[in-house]
Amino acid sequence: MTWPSVDVNQVNQLQGETSEVERVVLFTGTAKTNTGKTLAVTAQTDFDALLGAADSPLKRDLKAAQANAGQNWWAFVHPLAADAGADAWVNAVLAAQVSCSVEGVVLSDDVSEKSVINQAATLRSTLIAKYGRWVWFALAVQGMQPKEGQGDYLKRLSELQAGIAEKAVQLVPRLWGNEPGVLAGRLCNRAVTIADSPARVKTGALLNTGSDEMPVDGTGAVLELATLRALESQRYSVPMWYPDYDGIYWADGRTLDVEGGDYQSIETLRIADKAARRVRLLAIGKIADRSLNSTPGSIAAHQSLFARPLREMSKAAEINGVTFPGEVKPPQDGDVSIVWKTKKQVEIYIVVRTYEVPLQISISLVLDQSLEASA
């Protein structure tokens, strides 16, 4: 016999929103006060009170990021003591994971050795393995030194990045002075999506670059556009300008991905990282959930489920007849494939389709010299 009873269960379908880490960056570097602490900062933060009155690259980068990020910017900062060791910034990033989850890390202390770049590459792998956190890095690179011409500078920086392959690391030379902060702020600007290149001109010119004058090298020669183009070809992320067009802009968010790699620009990496974060949370909720199985109905339902982050990222808006695309193209049938390897192991493959980005535009003009009058 069965005893009469009623059970009521509140089922969590995991359909709610997730916290957004995109556009949140951790800054670290040498400062005078609050060393060893992870602190939150906003557009209203007084950095002189937070980091001390003395000037520092870290404070200048934060102010530059604040100026370029626009409304509702916020970030984290972990100041380092002046006598901290070479591994201090790595330990700072790991310690900050207790307090914050961020999209990117900016190291404001200038890099002049390959070892620091390799530390960033290793740290990316460590954060994914330990915390399931996909993080990119922007490392400040030492600018032109006294008596160093632009040719010598190109040679030195070419050697600095040679042989290193890491799609999540950007090298940002200090030519005007505040470039790492400028780039970080531009990437965090909410007027555009994470899929937009920092080269986007409509976002506006760069602010608080560090100098109102054009940079000069160690011989007194003014920085040439050709030098910036050569640095970009060597996988450095640098500003640029257009002749007869006012303002300083960004070239592209170059990473240290290999030639021919899919992630040579930061905007492509950011899309893949965001998708990875969203899909991971869905997958965790499906551990030991037998509704995910090899039946046709289950596979169809879960193909739709795991395509949900892409559908959300693909939402576009139309204003006055102009379409503003989403971060990715809408998923198509077959973009999510579910393959059962064993009764307890399933593999899920997801295709992410990005939009085209017009970084090089060619225009050809054709003359019509016919004698017939136009109608």
Side-chain angles (χ1 to χ4, degrees):
M1 301 295 292
T2 302
W3 187 265
S5 64
V6 174
D7 291 331
V8 178
N9 300 310
Q10 294 180 327
V11 179
N12 190 340
Q13 294 288 78
L14 303 177
Q15 299 178 60
E17 296 183 357
T18 58
S19 299
E20 183 183 75
V21 303
E22 289 76 29
R23 300 184 183 87
V24 182
V25 174
L26 170 67
F27 292 80
T28 188
T30 304
K32 292 292 185 181
T33 60
N34 284 316
T35 57
K37 301 178 182 178
T38 302
L39 306 167
V41 296
T42 68
Q44 290 75 39
T45 299
D46 183 347
F47 293 114
D48 290 334
L50 189 73
L51 302 176
D55 186 36
S56 70
L58 176 61
K59 188 162 68 173
R60 292 197 302 270
D61 284 344
L62 281 164
K63 290 182 176 180
Q66 184 184 60
N68 286 273
Q71 301 178 72
N72 297 315
W73 172 78
W74 72 293
F76 291 91
V77 58
H78 190 112
L80 304 174
D83 58 352
D87 297 334
W89 82 275
V90 175
N91 297 330
V93 173
L94 292 173
Q97 301 305 308
V98 177
S99 306
C100 63
S101 178
V102 297
E103 178 192 13
V105 172
V106 175
L107 176 59
S108 292
D109 291 343
D110 291 349
V111 173
S112 57
E113 298 179 356
K114 287 180 182 286
S115 60
V116 181
I117 306 174
N118 288 322
Q119 282 179 331
T122 302
L123 190 50
R124 158 90 171 183
S125 179
T126 300
L127 293 176
I128 294 174
K130 291 186 67 173
Y131 303 103
R133 294 176 178 175
W134 286 260
V135 179
W136 51 260
F137 296 84
L139 309 182
V141 175
Q142 190 179 64
M144 293 179 287
Q145 298 301 293
K147 299 182 180 180
E148 184 178 44
Q150 294 174 56
D152 296 329
Y153 187 65
L154 285 174
K155 181 177 183 297
R156 179 160 66 89
L157 263 62
S158 177
E159 294 171 352
L160 178 63
Q161 59 82 37
I164 298 178
E166 176 47 64
K167 62 181 180 293
V169 175
Q170 301 172 90
L171 300 181
V172 191
R174 289 193 187 277
L175 299 170
W176 277 262
N178 298 342
E179 284 92 335
V182 170
L183 175 60
R186 204 163 175 86
L187 294 176
C188 293
N189 194 308
R190 296 180 182 275
V192 291
T193 72
I194 64 167
D196 283 285
S197 169
R200 192 173 190 270
V201 173
K202 277 192 173 181
T203 309
L206 307 182
L207 301 172
N208 191 10
T209 57
S211 174
D212 294 329
E213 305 296 332
M214 287 295 296
V216 295
D217 63 20
T219 68
V222 176
L223 177 66
E224 296 182 6
L225 194 59
T227 300
L228 294 173
R229 186 165 184 171
L231 286 170
E232 198 275 342
S233 70
Q234 293 174 358
R235 304 188 297 172
Y236 285 89
S237 192
V238 295
M240 64 167 294
W241 66 88
Y242 301 93
D244 296 329
Y245 196 97
D246 294 331
I248 302 294
Y249 300 89
W250 208 265
D252 195 14
R254 282 299 304 269
T255 71
L256 293 182
D257 194 13
V258 298
E259 290 294 323
D262 291 337
Y263 304 101
Q264 296 183 61
S265 296
I266 188 62
E267 61 269 17
T268 308
L269 176 74
R270 297 177 81 194
I271 292 170
D273 282 356
K274 181 175 180 178
R277 297 182 192 107
R278 300 300 191 273
V279 171
R280 174 179 177 269
L281 295 178
L282 292 178
I284 290 174
K286 285 296 171 180
I287 292 293
D289 181 356
R290 291 194 307 124
S291 68
L292 173 57
N293 55 60
S294 61
T295 62
S298 174
I299 288 178
H302 286 87
Q303 283 176 330
S304 177
L305 173 69
F306 285 102
R308 190 175 75 191
L310 302 184
R311 290 195 299 271
E312 294 172 350
M313 293 171 64
S314 69
K315 289 181 179 178
E318 184 171 323
I319 301 175
N320 197 26
V322 178
T323 299
F324 293 85
E327 295 165 343
V328 298
K329 293 180 179 179
Q332 303 175 9
D333 291 341
D335 281 355
V336 178
S337 178
I338 300 176
V339 179
W340 280 91
K341 306 297 288 187
T342 68
K343 291 184 70 68
K344 293 188 177 181
Q345 181 183 359
V346 62
E347 294 181 353
I348 301 173
Y349 300 89
I350 301 174
V351 177
V352 180
R353 303 178 188 277
T354 60
Y355 280 96
E356 299 75 21
V357 179
L359 288 180
Q360 292 185 343
I361 301 176
S362 298
I363 301 175
S364 300
L365 302 179
V366 179
L367 293 178
D368 181 357
Q369 300 191 64
S370 59
L371 298 177
E372 294 84 356
S374 60

